[in-house]
Amino acid sequence: MSRAARLAIAALRRAAGGLLLLVGATFVIYITIRSAPGDAIDAISPMGTPPDVKARLMEEFGLDRDPFTGYIAWLMRSLFGDFGESLVFSPGAPVMEVVLPAFGRTLLLSASALVACLILAILAALLLGEPSRRQQLLTGPLYVATAAPSFVVAVVFVQFVNWGIKAFLVEGGYVPPSWYPLEMYTESLVPYVFAGLTLIAGDGLFMDFFNSVRADLNALRNAQFIAAVKAKGARTLGHIARNMVMPLLSGYAARLPIVLGGVVIVEYVFTLDGGGYVLLEAARERDFPVVVGLSVLFTATIIAVNLLTDIIRALVDPREVAHGG
Amino acid sequence: MGDSRLRVGLYLSGTVVGLVLLLGVIAPFVPYDPADAVDYDQLLQAPGMGHIFGTDGQGRDVAMRLLKGTEAFFLPGLMAAALATVFGALCGAVSGYAGGWLRGGVLGTMQLIDTLPRLVFIILVCTILNPSIYLIAFVAAVLFVPSIATVIRRRVEALGSEDYILAHVAHGFRPVRILLYHILWLQCRPLLIRQATYVFGYVLFVEVALSYLGDYGVQEPDPSWGNMVAQARGLRGVSAWPWAVPAVAIVVTIAGFLAFGNLLARADEEEVR
């Protein structure tokens, strides 16, 4: 079989596995809904919901049927992006219309924070090289500082820094470039920048990345095959880069859930109009369809990213496919 | 990393862990009535003799609230750490040692739980069930089982091919005994302690975050480190003490627990070498 065909088969298998996971994870979410004590419909609808809306909710979540067929019906609807209508947050609007733009901002924010964190970690690892005693005077305190939950970092930022800089930039007549997609806060990019910095600095993300990147990089530099490449007089950069892709990718995929957790509260602290903020506001107002829609989106994102990294890994590393992956 | 540095780190983080455990144990025995603590003659005092960490916007002693605030996460954290470690170790051991459908089933379940976004799922559970912190801690424990199981599974798989384990098998020891005693207890203890400190730190984080957000955590006037930090919203530019002290406490506690687990595992590795 050709390599391309094998790759395609491996990709298809992984995609099928991802779909299975999505079905499983949504089933867990659905069962959680059904586990509400007493009458599920009272647990999931806000106080004073009119009976006709309650009846619609019952039907949408399949509460009038047994859990299994109810789940199938709900899944069929959800798979096509129909999560019902928002109740309180934005009454009457389809959940997807409310949730998707906000979730897009969340994705953009967390993805750019992760990429920035990765670049910083690689730069720091290249700069610092082998760990030494003197460096620990720097990395030790940094470790403690960056173990802070991102929302604590966010509170500190909001208190001390954000307001000063925001006032400075906005009054300084700063205009963001027209391609900048974040509409709500276009008059100030600053909260987003700070939210991103918060995500990088919080939850131990940066030090985690930095430590693993440095360990991998140093191990690679001392590897025998690199010595062989050097002995032949070839450049080592390409070889090192290619072998760094794998650990970086898995590290990236492993940390996405942490960032997606951190971003929820960080958005709330900075009052950014993202998926996390909408999730918490909707939870507060008991706007159940919105909460469920967002939960499914967050879960699907994690599965999709894992799938993507798996496929990229197969592309980069022939061994992954050769053994029937 | 030098041996002495490792030891200094262990002592430092061990002190933090010990202090938090001590506070957590004595807090329930200290009588405290939040309504009684209000003192309008002593609003927003800076730290001094009477109040070592000052007072908050209602004249309540910050140090006292810090102590009582440990109640909100201490027992749930310990419970979740124990639960997650035990189940994680079992799942890891089974999937690393057994084969066939048992291994496949456990691995599949782990992968499934691992795809749930932790905090988002906890918030979903909160919306549906309006739960106590104990239920939240239980959910957190379940969500952490896969990552613990993965770590243990790798260790078990590596050990399973070692000669001395094979010798135990040849001696006719029961697999359960080999798994539970020779592999998990003798070989995986530092790893498990490290994972347990992670889970404890995460429960602290969730409790603090929920109390900060205000809907599902500890409600005022009862103290929690989270709702103490939340006071920052009302005190912008007035006084930092009432929220900075608990914020530092959160950071130091989480960093201390994580560092303690990491250093312990590393000390063990160096000993093995």
Side-chain angles (χ1 to χ4, degrees):
Chain A
M1 219 176 347
S2 73
R3 175 167 154 73
R6 237 186 269 143
L7 254 178
I9 291 174
L12 274 179
R13 275 181 63 161
R14 302 245 154 97
L19 208 62
L20 207 65
L21 269 183
L22 187 62
V23 171
T26 47
F27 187 64
V28 173
I29 290 174
Y30 186 76
I31 287 299
T32 314
I33 301 171
R34 294 296 292 250
S35 69
D39 221 347
I41 186 66
D42 291 327
I44 67 166
S45 49
M47 295 280 260
T49 308
D52 58 314
V53 176
K54 273 192 178 179
R56 205 189 68 216
L57 270 178
M58 288 272 278
E59 210 237 300
E60 274 174 9
F61 285 99
L63 296 180
D64 43 0
R65 301 180 230 185
D66 67 289
F68 193 69
T69 51
Y71 169 68
I72 301 286
W74 174 75
L75 180 71
M76 282 305 140
R77 215 188 291 263
S78 312
L79 276 184
F80 293 102
D82 179 10
F83 288 97
E85 288 171 10
S86 168
L87 299 174
V88 197
F89 191 78
S90 163
V95 167
M96 269 300 139
E97 270 178 30
V98 179
V99 154
L100 263 186
F103 191 70
R105 283 188 281 267
T106 297
L107 274 189
L108 190 68
L109 177 61
S110 23
S112 36
L114 260 172
V115 169
C117 189
L118 194 64
I119 293 172
L120 283 177
I122 293 174
L123 285 180
L126 285 173
L127 209 68
L128 290 178
E130 295 279 344
S132 74
R133 288 193 154 211
R134 214 182 315 149
Q135 280 174 22
Q136 289 210 328
L137 293 177
L138 175 74
T139 53
L142 205 60
Y143 175 81
V144 175
T146 60
S150 43
F151 88 91
V152 174
V153 182
V155 171
V156 175
F157 265 146
V158 167
Q159 289 294 312
F160 289 128
V161 200
N162 186 23
W163 294 97
I165 294 188
K166 190 176 171 186
F168 170 74
L169 276 185
V170 172
E171 277 162 27
Y174 174 78
V175 182
S178 57
W179 49 263
Y180 195 68
L182 306 172
E183 272 167 45
M184 181 167 170
Y185 281 90
T186 34
E187 88 275 11
S188 163
L189 203 152
V190 180
Y192 276 96
V193 172
F194 273 99
L197 283 177
T198 303
L199 286 173
I200 295 171
D203 296 330
L205 191 71
F206 173 73
M207 284 309 276
D208 233 26
F209 250 135
F210 165 68
N211 279 332
S212 61
V213 168
R214 180 160 77 169
D216 291 334
L217 201 62
N218 289 331
L220 259 179
R221 275 180 174 159
N222 299 328
Q224 286 184 338
F225 80 92
I226 293 295
V229 170
K230 262 192 206 145
K232 287 196 169 186
R235 282 164 180 264
T236 53
L237 186 68
H239 292 271
I240 289 185
R242 191 173 168 117
N243 279 282
M244 279 302 285
V245 171
M246 298 276 291
L248 285 181
L249 265 182
S250 36
Y252 192 91
R255 284 171 186 84
L256 185 79
I258 301 176
V259 177
L260 283 183
V263 78
V264 170
I265 303 183
V266 168
E267 279 176 354
Y268 187 84
V269 177
F270 284 101
T271 52
L272 303 177
D273 184 27
Y277 181 77
V278 172
L279 176 79
L280 288 171
E281 278 299 310
R284 171 173 312 220
E285 292 167 356
R286 308 198 67 71
D287 192 338
F288 200 69
V290 172
V291 175
V292 172
L294 269 169
S295 304
V296 173
L297 270 186
F298 270 98
T299 311
T301 307
I302 291 178
I303 293 175
V305 169
N306 282 334
L307 188 65
L308 210 65
T309 47
D310 267 357
I311 291 176
I312 296 177
R313 199 178 296 173
L315 280 175
V316 175
D317 189 346
R319 282 170 299 187
E320 291 276 320
V321 189
H323 298 303
Chain B
M1 185 178 197
D3 207 16
S4 62
R5 298 258 164 173
L6 194 72
R7 200 165 304 151
V8 171
L10 261 177
Y11 284 150
L12 273 179
S13 55
T15 313
V16 173
V17 171
L19 202 64
V20 173
L21 291 184
L22 184 72
L23 291 181
V25 170
I26 61 172
F29 299 105
V30 180
Y32 181 70
D33 179 3
D36 228 23
V38 176
D39 183 352
Y40 287 109
D41 296 332
Q42 305 241 329
L43 300 185
L44 297 172
Q45 301 260 311
M49 282 310 286
H51 307 280
I52 51 169
F53 289 136
T55 58
D56 67 6
Q58 296 179 48
R60 299 173 299 194
D61 185 52
V62 171
M64 191 66 179
R65 289 179 74 74
L66 205 61
L67 171 66
K68 289 305 275 185
T70 55
E71 273 181 53
F73 65 81
F74 185 69
L75 274 182
L78 288 186
M79 189 197 80
L83 266 178
T85 318
V86 169
F87 281 102
L90 286 180
C91 291
V94 167
S95 58
Y97 203 79
W101 62 268
L102 191 57
R103 178 191 156 87
V106 173
L107 282 183
T109 316
M110 294 296 107
Q111 209 180 356
L112 183 62
I113 297 175
D114 221 14
T115 54
L116 294 170
R118 288 181 187 150
L119 192 64
V120 175
F121 188 69
I122 286 174
I123 289 168
L124 177 76
V125 170
C126 284
T127 344
I128 299 167
L129 300 174
N130 252 331
S132 72
I133 180 68
Y134 285 95
L135 185 66
I136 295 171
F138 175 76
V139 174
V142 172
L143 292 176
F144 262 91
V145 166
S147 56
I148 300 176
T150 309
V151 173
I152 297 301
R153 177 170 57 83
R154 295 219 179 103
R155 192 66 173 268
V156 172
E157 280 170 353
L159 285 169
S161 54
E162 295 262 344
D163 289 340
Y164 81 96
I165 294 292
L166 202 65
H168 288 329
V169 178
H171 265 291
F173 288 167
R174 278 179 300 136
V176 174
R177 186 186 152 135
I178 296 177
L179 257 189
L180 290 186
Y181 181 71
H182 294 280
I183 293 185
L184 280 187
W185 178 249
L186 291 181
Q187 296 291 335
C188 298
R189 254 180 304 167
L191 276 184
L192 287 173
I193 292 176
R194 166 157 72 173
Q195 299 299 325
T197 57
Y198 278 13
V199 179
F200 186 87
Y202 188 75
V203 172
L204 168 61
F205 162 73
V206 168
E207 192 283 313
V208 166
L210 291 177
S211 296
Y212 175 85
L213 297 171
D215 286 319
Y216 303 110
V218 176
Q219 306 287 325
E220 283 276 358
D222 288 321
S224 143
W225 293 2
N227 66 25
M228 290 169 79
V229 171
Q231 292 174 347
R233 271 176 287 198
L235 294 174
R236 184 166 290 136
V238 183
S239 168
W241 288 105
W243 62 265
V245 172
V248 170
I250 294 167
V251 174
V252 169
T253 307
I254 291 184
F257 268 82
L258 293 188
F260 185 69
N262 279 334
L263 293 175
L264 213 61
R266 203 182 317 168
D268 178 68
E269 270 169 33
E270 296 201 348
E271 212 169 277
V272 171
R273 259 185 243 145

